[in-house]
């Protein structure tokens, strides 16, 4: 049995969450941050121009796919229906206050991890938050 897991219904099947969780509730905060693709400068420089272009094109496609939400609600609802068919009961969604508390906790945890990592991590975290308007 799982005490708690934060996972979109759409991806719950990838870790068989329906096998260990009897209940689910809508939380769906955007607690994550944009994907970051990094490379060692020497390794990047060792790639041919064609290889660099291939990596850049792939990264752009991931970005576009990540930000494609036109069918997000439809896909999420279909996933919930499938989970319900597998025995997961959906209860009342979390309140706006609870969602805000979750985002605050996630941000505080990210800050702590950035500080533990040191280097430029705290600065990069703040830059991302600034871009997100948070």
């Amino acid at each position: 049995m799982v005490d708690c897991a934060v996972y979109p219904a759409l991806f719950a099947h990838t870790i068989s969450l329906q096998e260990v969780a009897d209940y689910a509730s809508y939380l769906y905060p955007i607690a994550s941050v944009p994907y970051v693709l990094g490379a060692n400068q020497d390794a990047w420089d060792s790639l041919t121009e064609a290889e660099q272009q291939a990596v850049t094109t792939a990264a752009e496609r991931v970005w576009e796919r990540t930000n494609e939400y036109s069918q997000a609600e439809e896909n999420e609802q279909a996933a919930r229906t499938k989970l319900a068919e597998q025995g997961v009961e959906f209860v009342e969604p979390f309140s706006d206050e609870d969602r805000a508390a979750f985002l605050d906790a996630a941000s505080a945890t990210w800050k702590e991890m950035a500080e533990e990592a040191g280097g430029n991590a705290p600065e990069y975290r703040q830059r991302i938050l600034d871009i997100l308007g948070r």
Side-chain angles (χ1 to χ4, degrees), residues 7 13 18 27 35-36 48 50 53-54 65 78 85:
Y7 228 76
H13 72 280
Q18 73 280 3
L27 178 62
Y35 288 108
V36 177
T48 67
Q53 186 57 49
R65 183 171 177 232
E85 291 168 355

Side-chain angles (χ1 to χ4, degrees), residues 22-99:
D22 294 329
Y23 301 95
S25 180
Y26 179 77
L27 178 62
Y28 209 83
I30 304 298
S32 63
V33 297
Y35 288 108
V36 177
L37 179 62
N40 173 284
Q41 189 66 54
D42 291 334
W44 179 257
D45 292 341
S46 73
L47 298 176
T48 67
E49 197 170 312
E51 291 169 330
Q52 289 178 352
Q53 186 57 49
V55 171
T56 300
T57 299
E60 288 169 353
R61 288 182 182 158
V62 167
W63 179 251
E64 289 168 8
R65 183 171 177 232
T66 300
N67 291 291
E68 170 52 48
Y69 298 108
S70 65
Q71 295 183 337
E73 184 62 26
E74 180 182 321
N75 292 340
E76 182 71 9
Q77 290 304 324
R80 289 185 198 186
T81 298
K82 185 173 182 177
L83 288 170
E85 291 168 355
Q86 295 172 324
V88 176
E89 180 182 342
F90 280 83
V91 296
E92 289 297 314
F94 282 86
S95 67
D96 289 343
E97 294 80 18
D98 286 341
R99 288 185 197 146

